[in-house]
Amino acid sequence: MLVLRLLNVVAPAYFLCISLVTFVLQIFLFIPSMFRDPSTTPLFSPALLHGALFLFLSANALGNYVLVIQSSPEDLGKGLNLGKGAEMVADWLDGSRSPGSALPNTHFCRLCARVTQRHDHHCFFTGNCIGSRNMRNFIMFCLYTSLACLDSLVAGMAYISAALSMSFANPLAFLTLLPHSISQFFSGALLSSEMFVILMLYLWLGIGLACAGFCCHQLLLILRGQTRYQVRKGMVIKARPWRENLQEVFGKRWLLGLLIPVLNVGSDYRRQKEK
């Protein structure tokens, strides 16, 4: 548990550090290298379009990241006399202490120490639980993070291609880039800044693929009306049309959420409580 709590603090700092490094490389290295003659650069040049695209992707990724943290799943255990200690609360919600009395679709997170509605999982990179209130923002965060990493990967490859006078037309060139660059770095033929960019290329590739795969997995679960917690526990859910499952998570303003970071529409439990 101590290791998990430490990871819950280190992982967000690691993500913010990677985001800051990516922003600095893009703004001060990759984009300026695309300008051959700034005085004659047209308004809709590839460099300016790339810069605008990167800023759009970064703003959406960081905006949804902040909304995931701010829109924390509501603690349904507040005000309930469930006994003393987290263990008794967890037993009550799992139904082991009082069968049939547990709240439906709820889970007690030991790291957050709260009961959440439609709990999916605990995200260490946000230090927060993912539930009904912030699921849409979490998916948008994963989507735009993967796109921003892909954009940085392409820009970094273009920079390395020009700096080292090499071509990535052969797919094996990227696979052999790292070992070849390490040998050149220790022999003094490669600058430390260029070696750092090459290492970042593989980091962007890994983060981008991981976020894209996680986003696709979450969308498949949403289409089926399930959460990761329900799948892990083998819970049986009532089958519903996939359109209703999507609308429950993304709401009626789903197109607006694709363009700018907006708050989630809220869970069914919250709407019922407001009524």
Side-chain angles (χ1 to χ4, degrees):
M1 181 60 67
L2 179 61
V3 176
L4 294 179
R5 293 187 181 276
L6 181 62
L7 181 62
N8 202 42
V9 177
V10 174
Y14 172 77
F15 170 77
L16 294 177
C17 181
I18 294 298
S19 301
L20 180 60
V21 171
T22 302
F23 183 82
V24 171
L25 288 177
Q26 282 273 14
I27 299 300
F28 297 101
L29 189 62
F30 297 160
I31 296 178
S33 66
M34 299 178 185
F35 290 95
R36 297 183 179 179
D37 188 1
S39 61
T40 60
T41 300
L43 180 60
F44 296 101
S45 65
L48 291 177
L49 292 178
H50 170 77
L53 176 62
F54 173 73
L55 292 177
F56 171 76
L57 297 177
S58 301
N60 275 277
L62 293 178
N64 282 287
Y65 179 81
V66 173
L67 291 180
V68 169
I69 299 176
Q70 289 184 347
S71 304
S72 301
E74 188 174 7
D75 189 358
L76 305 182
K78 290 183 178 179
L80 296 177
N81 187 15
L82 304 180
K84 297 180 179 180
E87 296 294 334
M88 298 185 68
V89 176
D91 293 341
W92 189 87
L93 292 171
D94 290 337
S96 57
R97 181 169 297 277
S98 179
S101 63
L103 295 172
N105 298 327
T106 56
H107 173 66
F108 176 78
C109 179
R110 302 177 188 275
L111 294 176
C112 294
R114 61 187 172 195
V115 183
T116 60
Q117 175 76 5
R118 286 193 61 82
H119 175 87
D120 188 86
H121 69 283
H122 182 90
C123 177
F124 290 98
F125 285 98
T126 60
N128 202 0
C129 276
I130 307 301
S132 58
R133 293 185 61 187
N134 56 5
M135 174 59 73
R136 181 179 66 174
N137 297 122
F138 177 75
I139 293 178
M140 291 295 101
F141 160 69
C142 292
L143 174 63
Y144 280 105
T145 299
S146 63
L147 293 178
C149 288
L150 176 61
D151 179 83
S152 301
L153 176 64
V154 173
M157 292 175 62
Y159 173 80
I160 291 298
S161 178
L164 303 182
S165 299
M166 63 177 301
S167 174
F168 289 98
N170 186 359
L172 296 178
F174 185 80
L175 298 178
T176 58
L177 175 62
L178 183 59
H180 183 65
S181 301
I182 292 177
S183 61
Q184 285 188 329
F185 175 74
F186 285 105
S187 63
L190 191 66
L191 298 177
S192 58
S193 60
E194 296 172 347
M195 187 63 200
F196 180 75
V197 172
I198 292 174
L199 293 176
M200 290 299 298
L201 292 180
Y202 290 90
L203 184 61
W204 288 326
L205 178 63
I207 295 177
L209 292 178
C211 289
F214 200 86
C215 182
C216 294
H217 177 66
Q218 289 292 140
L219 286 176
L220 290 176
L221 291 178
I222 291 174
L223 289 173
R224 296 163 54 183
Q226 290 181 306
T227 62
R228 292 182 61 190
Y229 177 75
Q230 291 173 341
V231 173
R232 187 169 65 251
K233 293 296 183 178
M235 299 180 179
V236 180
I237 61 173
K238 182 180 179 181
R240 297 190 308 172
W242 62 271
R243 293 180 182 273
E244 294 183 8
N245 296 329
L246 281 178
Q247 186 174 355
E248 182 182 9
V249 175
F250 292 94
K252 297 180 179 180
R253 299 179 298 171
W254 62 271
L255 183 58
L256 181 62
L258 289 177
L259 301 177
I260 58 175
V262 292
L263 289 173
N264 206 344
V265 294
S267 63
D268 288 339
Y269 171 85
R270 186 177 182 85
R271 289 194 293 264
Q272 292 175 2
K273 188 175 73 171
E274 290 176 351
K275 292 180 180 180

